[in-house]
Amino acid sequence: MIRTPSVPRALLPLPAAAGLLLVTACGGPAGEESGARDVTVAMAPADRATGVAPGSPVALRVTGGQGTLADVSVTDQRGQRLDGSLSADGRSWTSVPATRPSSTYTLAYTAKSADGSRRNGSGTVTTAAPEKPNKLELRPGNGATVGVAQPVSVLFDHRVGDAEKVDIERNLRVETSPRTEGSWGWVKDSGGHDRIDWRPRDFWKPGTKVSLKGEIAGLPSGQGRYFARNYATSFTIGENRVVTVDVAGHRMAVTEGGKAVASYPISAGSDTYPTRGGTHVVLAKNAKETMKSATVGLGDAYPSLPTTSVIHLTSSGTFIHAADWNADQIGAANTSHGCVGMLSSDARKLFDRVLIGDPVIVKNTRNTEITEPGNGFGAWQMDWPAWKKRSALKG
């Protein structure tokens, strides 16, 4: 099993005045055990602080005496624990991960003096509600079975600041079984939204179990926005199915487990509108769809064209679909506006066979343009070194 690490924040220095509370073992009468009276503890934010910025850590530090901290516990109003990291000398503790918005955290801890005596302390901290949350969408959906080219994909509602990308990426953990090498890469989707995809170095091994845990509640995303909660999804990799479109040969081949299982005649994009080359990923499937040229920047070339067995390859309008109106050209010439047309009987067979996430490799096309990686799931348009460079952590 491999995971992309969630790197804890470093222990932060506590402020000298504002936002800091000094107590003798925190709280006087709250802890009446003998000893530990010379130990003072600083808490930040201060006890009973409200309106604290989401994402702010909760921190404790011994500031007087020769004591250490022990048995630190922080829980929110739902009883969920906020974990933390104790320094090597035992004199400071900082919460990890970040605090959530609209939450009240209750702290309980013990300060221990040099002679072993102890004294208890407690406090509360309340975070502010996020005025501008940033939500996200995860793909594939939880519990899905997908093809061997499917990336883990996180789409953000609002722009993510460059300064925030490192911390966000560090708190997105991908776990796989069996072990799979992969990397995150930041892209812009076709609507201009920020997206981060995790793709394996090579196609997934069939049967691989994949999970994503986004421990990002309270993290800032830039422009004053925060993430209000954590996210998670898990899915399974299906059969090793590969669809290969030979544009020049007017044929499509389908393999499963490396063995040929189907071959179909096709008509791809004309010389004027050549089909995009390279490795695409099945994005979506619609049994029936009406295609409109204006939506893909082709004016009124085909104002309204009903068709069936539609398989989406890019967000910009590269599809595989039934095209019986072009039956005399299928298997003989490439005459489309960039899509891959098939006889309806063949298109239905392919539609029923393929999964979301299956790779579709288009070769021998006149289109030498590299499709942007955010145009559909285009991570496979790039080689491995180039893809890793899109990580905020630089691979």
Side-chain angles (χ1 to χ4, degrees), residues 28-224:
E32 285 299 330
E33 296 102 317
S34 62
R37 297 183 183 278
D38 61 331
V39 178
T40 55
V41 177
M43 173 179 161
D47 184 22
R48 300 184 182 86
T50 60
V52 174
S56 300
V58 177
L60 301 171
R61 188 176 69 196
V62 175
T63 58
Q66 298 303 309
T68 56
L69 293 168
D71 303 323
V72 179
S73 174
V74 181
T75 55
D76 66 12
Q77 70 273 19
R78 297 179 294 272
Q80 295 181 338
R81 185 182 179 91
L82 187 66
D83 293 330
S85 176
L86 188 66
S87 63
D89 62 8
R91 290 174 65 83
S92 58
W93 182 96
T94 303
S95 65
V96 179
T99 51
R100 299 169 182 258
S102 306
S103 298
T104 296
Y105 292 92
T106 300
L107 293 76
Y109 58 90
T110 300
K112 183 173 65 174
S113 68
D115 64 6
S117 60
R118 295 169 177 259
R119 192 163 185 171
N120 297 331
S122 62
T124 62
V125 171
T126 301
T127 55
E131 295 182 6
K132 298 187 293 183
N134 196 350
K135 299 179 181 180
L136 52 87
E137 176 187 343
L138 303 180
R139 292 181 67 181
N142 194 48
T145 297
V146 296
V148 296
Q150 176 69 48
V152 183
S153 186
V154 181
L155 176 66
F156 300 92
D157 271 3
H158 299 281
R159 189 180 71 81
V160 176
D162 291 340
E164 287 74 26
K165 287 180 178 179
V166 169
D167 209 17
I168 292 170
E169 188 172 329
R170 282 175 172 165
N171 284 277
L172 296 172
R173 296 185 297 157
V174 174
E175 299 180 355
T176 70
S177 180
R179 179 184 176 89
T180 305
E181 181 184 1
S183 175
W184 289 107
W186 290 88
V187 302
K188 292 281 188 182
D189 84 339
S190 58
H193 292 88
D194 282 317
R195 199 178 84 203
I196 183 171
D197 293 348
W198 193 97
R199 57 151 276 201
R201 179 168 186 163
D202 303 302
F203 289 160
W204 295 102
K205 180 180 178 180
T208 299
K209 303 295 184 182
V210 187
S211 65
L212 167 67
K213 295 179 181 179
E215 297 181 351
I216 59 175
L219 288 183
S221 67
Q223 297 182 314

Side-chain angles (χ1 to χ4, degrees), residues 330-361:
I330 292 175
N334 295 316
T335 59
S336 82
H337 289 84
C339 290
V340 177
M342 305 177 69
L343 299 174
S344 58
S345 57
D346 292 341
R348 179 57 187 268
K349 292 175 184 176
L350 181 70
F351 183 90
D352 290 342
R353 183 183 291 271
V354 299
L355 289 176
I356 303 299
D358 280 346
V360 177
I361 301 171

Side-chain angles (χ1 to χ4, degrees), residues 10-24:
L11 291 174
L12 303 177
L14 295 175
L20 175 148
L21 178 68
L22 290 176
V23 291
T24 303

